[in-house]
Amino acid sequence: MKLYPYLLCAALAATAVACSDSDDNNEPAAEETSAKEVALKSAANDYVNYTVLPTYKAMADAAIEMSDLCEEIQAEFEAGTLSSSHILAAGEAWKKARKNWELSEAFLFGPAANHNIDPHIDSWPLDKNAMDNLLTQIRGGNLWSTENLGYGLLGFHAIEYMLYELSSDGNSSLTHSTNYTAEELEYMVGVANDLRDQCVLLEVCWAGDDNVSSIKLDILDEAELGYGEEYGWELANAGSAGSRFKTFQESAEEIIQGCIDIADEVGNTKIGRPHVGSSEEDKNYIESPYSLNSIEDFVDNIKSIQNSYIGTSGSSISDYIKSVNPDLDTEMRTAITDAINAISAIPEPFAKNATGSVAGNAVTVVGSDLVDVLQKVYNQLGK
């Protein structure tokens, strides 16, 4: 993974010159704009290198592991030696990939949106009736291809459905059945490979071809995928030839808008829709119900906001906001903590607790309070 260097000393020198000129002619803002760009350039660089790229690498690595373990399940089945331990191992790899995906949802802009990777791998809720009908057709020998399946029958939740079974009472104990057919396992492996390909594609689109392993490039080559882009470089090199970002303020605004979008989705859709909805469709509009991973999904989404704003290492947007409006930085940090605590208080299974008062509190704390403070941060960046 390469780092994107920035010329801090040169930038600071430019700031000093701007300050001197401004003092002479009483024209403010030149030095302020330059200082802002210096700070936000540092934040963008460290955001890409220490938050985005490690998250996507971990997700792609886990997706490769999960795909390999699904193929192992198929091989063990054919050999007559399949046990629940094989399914449990694949389920744990699914959870690792899933966690890093949820930790990335504050940065669903760029490649995840531009290439439809988000809906391809994370459309939900799973259409259980359509899935059961598909599996019935597959068992009957009907031909299928991942290219002909809708997004609702691909991605994380299709694999989740194949690996996890809720216990009979629907509570937190999970069983890992070995009761597959050969046709079902062919489908599971095909979808697992497709999920792997998309996760690798997302990492490569941010990191660039030169900054990932040859194994991952081979995966994309085999799948005939790739766009030859390096979105991380563009975000960290605003104003340079080849970057779609003209200023580092634009880069920072893109980052915070991504945070606003996921905070709104978690509060008002992921939690809010099953909480306030009256229809059966609303009540079943639940993410990751089969693995009982819903609450962890939601918390990790807020942690993706935390990582984007505060950073995981080095400089961050928080550093800049604190320098110009320390009260807002404190308010932002508190709002993130409050959101994590409000969601964590909801018991699993979420399907049984979505309509309760604890979930209702989370809707307000995340979908209203956190969104409002993030909007203040976005507005501050424009001042």
Side-chain angles (χ1 to χ4, degrees), residues 264-281:
D264 177 70
E265 182 179 352
V266 171
N268 297 311
T269 301
K270 292 186 177 186
I271 301 174
R273 184 168 173 182
H275 175 71
V276 302
S278 57
S279 69
E280 198 64 28
E281 181 182 358

Side-chain angles (χ1 to χ4, degrees), residues 160 166 170-174 288-295 348-349:
E160 177 194 17
L166 286 175
N171 282 311
S172 58
S173 61
L174 294 173
S288 302
Y290 303 104
S291 57
L292 299 184
N293 214 59
S294 304
I295 303 304
E348 283 282 16

